[in-house]
């Protein structure tokens, strides 16, 4: 069994996630990290509807997603954690 922090695990998770993330309108990526099999992103979204769109995209995939968002002045700041199911 491979260790969760192997580089190929990060690259595989990033590749699969990017296919889903590119379907939403991201204003900016503030931070991205990988730890213990989880890809963590802090992003700014154009609107709150993008959160639901993102949830639906991941629901139909082999990845799970956790989203915590803060909405201020029409800007949606989201912390996203992605991992394999």
């Amino acid at each position: 069994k491979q260790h969760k922090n192997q580089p190929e695990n990060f690259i595989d998770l990033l590749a699969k996630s990017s296919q889903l993330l590119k379907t939403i309108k991201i204003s900016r990526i503030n931070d991205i990290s990988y730890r213990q099999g989880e890809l963590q992103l802090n992003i700014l979204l154009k609107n709150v509807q993008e959160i639901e769109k993102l949830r639906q995209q991941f629901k139909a995939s082999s990845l799970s997603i956790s989203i915590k968002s803060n909405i201020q002045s029409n800007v949606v700041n989201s912390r996203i954690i992605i991992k394999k199911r």
Side-chain angles (χ1 to χ4, degrees):
K1 184 177 178 180
Q2 287 186 336
H3 188 267
K4 285 186 174 183
N5 279 331
Q6 292 288 332
E8 50 279 356
N9 290 338
F10 164 70
I11 292 168
D12 185 49
L13 187 58
L14 183 62
K16 288 178 180 175
S17 298
S18 66
Q19 293 300 311
L20 301 171
L21 289 167
K22 72 180 183 180
T23 65
I24 64 166
K25 295 177 179 136
I26 298 174
S27 296
R28 185 171 72 217
I29 298 173
N30 292 326
D31 184 55
I32 184 169
S33 64
Y34 179 78
R35 188 177 305 121
Q36 297 180 328
E38 293 183 346
L39 185 62
Q40 299 178 16
L41 298 99
N42 288 320
I43 61 175
L44 291 180
L45 299 171
K46 297 208 179 273
N47 58 57
V48 73
Q49 290 83 8
E50 297 303 311
I51 296 170
E52 189 55 35
K53 186 175 178 183
L54 191 58
R55 284 188 206 281
Q56 293 302 317
Q57 291 287 335
F58 276 82
K59 192 175 184 180
S61 78
S62 63
L63 304 174
S64 67
I65 188 169
S66 169
I67 305 172
K68 292 181 182 171
S69 297
N70 182 12
I71 303 166
Q72 294 178 339
S73 306
N74 295 330
V75 175
V76 183
N77 190 357
S78 296
R79 178 174 171 78
I80 298 173
I81 299 173
I82 302 166
K83 59 186 175 182
K84 291 183 180 178
R85 291 188 197 271

